[in-house]
Amino acid sequence: MTILSALQLTKYYGAQDVFSDLEFSVARGDKIGLVGPNGVGKTTLLRIILGLEEPSAGSVQRARGVRLGYLPQISVFPSDQTLYAEMLGVFSDLNQQHEVLLSLADEMASAPDPAELMERYALLEHRFELAGGYEYENRIRRVLSGLGFAADMDDWPVAMLSGGQVTRALLAKLLLQDPDLLILDEPTNYLDLQALEWFEAYLQEWAGTILVVSHD
């Protein structure tokens, strides 16, 4: 199934032609590497795909409802939360479900006849489990650890992270969001060898579509 396609895509700035008449399609599950030297228009193409910039001619079509995730080369992460709180926010629906389950458990403990509450609890817990409710905190720790964040950094304010740490934090959040199309512009710039090896292994297991840009 095609989730994105481009028809006669052209971009120029004044008299400078960046690219012209590009045509391509991206299918669900594709793993694509876009490789080329600096200055040939890779980032410009990504911005057009994402709708952040308009082409000079041609068009980009996206499948209805497709979720895009984007890691730019220069990352900005405005936040007044801690690193872990930002990651936890990805799973806000599951957090809410968990609160409901805790509330029901309290009600059952004091109810004279908890049969109806127990039935409701069992149904909601089953949905919670199917949605990954008992796994998401382990997922957060796995991704943060893989990208070089130790557990004692969970409470660090995002505003205090260095530039490279900000990029890795945004990458972690993108991986946890699990978009349909993950677009990464030079994602390895701030990864050491250990984090790079982890990241490569993680992407090999990625079920969605990936478009990775590199000059190397």
Side-chain angles (χ1 to χ4, degrees):
M1 174 185 174
T2 298
I3 61 173
L4 184 144
S5 60
L7 180 65
Q8 296 182 331
L9 206 59
T10 298
K11 183 66 178 182
Y12 53 80
Y13 297 105
Q16 179 188 3
D17 286 336
V18 182
F19 47 76
S20 60
D21 295 326
L22 290 184
E23 297 196 359
F24 59 86
S25 62
V26 178
R28 190 175 300 279
D30 279 352
K31 307 294 189 292
I32 301 169
L34 182 60
V35 182
N38 289 329
V40 298
K42 301 186 302 297
T43 296
T44 298
L45 177 59
L46 293 190
R47 289 179 57 81
I48 292 173
I49 288 173
L50 290 155
L52 300 175
E53 193 169 331
E54 291 297 321
S56 302
S59 62
V60 173
Q61 302 293 326
R62 304 173 195 84
R64 181 176 299 176
V66 66
R67 296 176 302 114
L68 305 181
Y70 175 47
L71 181 75
Q73 284 190 47
I74 301 175
S75 302
V76 179
F77 198 165
S79 172
D80 58 1
Q81 299 193 87
T82 66
L83 175 65
Y84 192 82
E86 278 291 342
M87 303 303 124
L88 198 60
V90 173
F91 304 99
S92 57
D93 288 346
L94 288 174
N95 285 328
Q96 291 174 8
Q97 292 179 44
H98 189 223
E99 291 299 322
V100 171
L101 287 171
L102 291 175
S103 178
L104 279 174
D106 288 340
E107 289 184 51
M108 286 189 298
S110 59
D113 183 6
E116 184 177 342
L117 290 172
M118 291 176 64
E119 183 177 346
R120 184 184 173 199
Y121 184 94
L123 177 62
L124 293 177
E125 185 185 35
H126 181 63
R127 292 175 180 172
F128 180 71
E129 183 177 7
L130 288 178
Y134 291 117
E135 302 171 3
Y136 69 93
E137 290 186 281
N138 287 334
R139 282 187 60 199
I140 291 174
R141 177 42 36 209
R142 177 192 176 198
V143 170
L144 286 178
S145 177
L147 292 175
F149 292 103
D152 60 6
M153 300 173 70
D154 286 353
D155 294 330
W156 284 22
V158 170
M160 293 182 63
L161 298 179
S162 68
Q165 289 170 337
V166 164
T167 298
R168 288 188 283 121
L170 279 173
L171 178 57
K173 191 169 184 178
L174 280 174
L175 296 179
L176 293 169
Q177 287 171 337
D178 198 21
D180 300 310
L181 173 55
L182 181 62
I183 299 176
L184 307 173
D185 194 353
E186 303 283 0
T188 62
N189 285 348
Y190 295 98
L191 300 182
D192 60 22
L193 181 58
Q194 184 177 357
L196 178 58
E197 291 176 345
W198 177 90
F199 183 49
E200 289 175 346
Y202 193 93
L203 290 187
Q204 287 175 358
E205 300 174 3
W206 189 268
T209 307
I210 305 171
L211 172 56
V212 181
V213 165
S214 177
H215 66 271
D216 183 358

